[in-house]
Amino acid sequence: MTTEHRSPCPISSFLDLWGDRWTLIIIRDMLVGKRRFSDLEAGNEHVPPSILADRMKKLIALGVAERVQYQDKPPRYEYHLTAKGTALRPVLIAMGDWSEEHLPDRWHTPDWFRAGRHAPGRD
Amino acid sequence: MTTEHRSPCPISSFLDLWGDRWTLIIIRDMLVGKRRFSDLEAGNEHVPPSILADRMKKLIALGVAERVQYQDKPPRYEYHLTAKGTALRPVLIAMGDWSEEHLPDRWHTPDWFRAGRHAPGRD
DNA sequence: AAAGTAAACTTTCGATTTGAAAGTAACATG
DNA sequence: CATGTTACTTTCAAATCGAAAGTTTACTTT
């Protein structure tokens, strides 16, 4: 993966990496505490598994997530965000703020998300 | 244009609208004070004119920009952001902040951009 | 022991989107 | 009257998307 940037502008560079319809939705779900492929796949927006697999490879290649084996007998894996990944939270909050103010009938961003915590029930 | 949202989540709704490689770059340049098609086309990243035309139609349809005729004799038009459009600035700033911290050798977001002003020399 | 379930993916393939290049329309200028 | 400027549109091959089905490995149920 050649991480080529269209210009040295930090905004366009951000979009070079994350400017698509799915990647930041996956990051959102990981910030909420989801770790497993099937969990991420089953979200509200139904990421196709082909796209999810592709994006997880990209996240790992960019150092934003890590793949960890969490059991042996049937080999199973889960994903964790790195600090570089959790640092994306303010961007997602800003996006949510714009939508809540300018689009009708959107959900509210929960306080635990703003505060940097997981969804209640996850840890 | 059916503005269909994948879910009522404000983050995914934001990505339904702006989740691509070009639209927010165009918004960035408009926030910087660029108004004319040729100005927007000539930016650092070189938006193809076919994409620029398509995105401007979308911005207008969504109430984020307006098209104004600024001369008659050869009919010429320019674009202005609405309040709904300028409200995207905090999202772009958050994106830039992430890139400055996590990608090497990016430009710094200028203070006048953070402060909500145009580029020096534009008004 | 055969059948079914589950997790984590991969493969296939038609449809959509992208983006480079060239073309168009309406005038202005030299 | 030839060239330039602005604001686009058209064309088309290539890349990407995404729905559906298939694969692998191992455990669980009948």
Side-chain angles (χ1 to χ4, degrees):
Chain A
M1 185 188 307
T2 51
T3 303
E4 244 175 68
H5 290 294
R6 284 170 287 183
S7 88
C9 167
I11 295 169
S12 81
S13 298
F14 186 96
L15 294 167
D16 288 334
L17 299 180
W18 316 122
D20 76 294
R21 291 166 50 78
W22 287 113
T23 312
L24 291 179
I25 287 189
I26 297 167
I27 299 277
R28 178 205 62 187
D29 282 347
M30 295 183 77
L31 285 170
V32 155
K34 295 185 185 179
R35 302 192 214 287
R36 314 206 320 208
F37 194 95
S38 55
D39 251 17
L40 293 164
E41 200 182 347
N44 271 314
E45 294 86 6
H46 300 102
V47 203
S50 51
I51 297 213
L52 180 55
D54 176 84
R55 294 306 190 277
M56 293 320 297
K57 278 171 195 157
K58 194 180 166 188
L59 294 183
I60 289 162
L62 291 168
V64 159
E66 291 168 340
R67 198 173 88 129
V68 179
Q69 187 163 353
Y70 71 89
Q71 86 178 21
D72 232 36
K73 325 290 262 327
R76 292 292 145 83
Y77 307 91
E78 57 182 22
Y79 299 92
H80 300 279
L81 286 176
T82 64
K84 196 172 171 182
T86 58
L88 289 164
R89 190 188 298 265
V91 179
L92 300 191
I93 290 172
M95 289 178 168
D97 287 348
W98 184 89
S99 293
E100 287 189 47
E101 189 158 358
H102 296 282
L103 302 176
D105 307 322
R106 299 300 90 194
W107 286 338
H108 293 300
T109 302
D111 285 338
W112 51 260
F113 188 85
R114 281 178 201 282
R117 275 179 265 113
H118 285 171
R122 295 186 182 266
D123 61 303
Chain B
M1 185 189 308
T2 51
T3 304
E4 243 174 69
H5 290 295
R6 284 171 289 183
S7 88
C9 168
I11 295 168
S12 80
S13 298
F14 185 97
L15 294 167
D16 288 335
L17 298 180
W18 315 122
D20 77 293
R21 289 166 51 78
W22 287 113
T23 312
L24 291 179
I25 288 189
I26 297 167
I27 299 277
R28 178 205 62 187
D29 282 346
M30 294 182 77
L31 285 169
V32 155
K34 295 185 185 179
R35 301 192 214 288
R36 314 206 321 206
F37 195 95
S38 55
D39 251 17
L40 292 164
E41 200 182 348
N44 270 315
E45 293 86 6
H46 299 102
V47 204
S50 52
I51 298 215
L52 181 54
D54 177 82
R55 294 305 190 278
M56 293 318 298
K57 277 171 194 158
K58 195 179 165 188
L59 293 184
I60 288 162
L62 291 168
V64 160
E66 292 169 339
R67 197 172 89 129
V68 179
Q69 186 162 356
Y70 71 89
Q71 87 178 19
D72 232 37
K73 324 290 263 326
R76 293 292 145 83
Y77 306 90
E78 58 182 21
Y79 299 91
H80 301 279
L81 287 176
T82 64
K84 196 172 171 181
T86 59
L88 289 164
R89 189 188 299 264
V91 179
L92 301 191
I93 290 172
M95 290 177 168
D97 287 348
W98 185 89
S99 292
E100 286 189 48
E101 188 158 359
H102 297 281
L103 302 177
D105 306 322
R106 300 300 89 194
W107 286 339
H108 292 300
T109 302
D111 285 337
W112 52 259
F113 187 85
R114 280 177 202 283
R117 274 179 265 112
H118 284 171
R122 295 187 183 266
D123 61 305

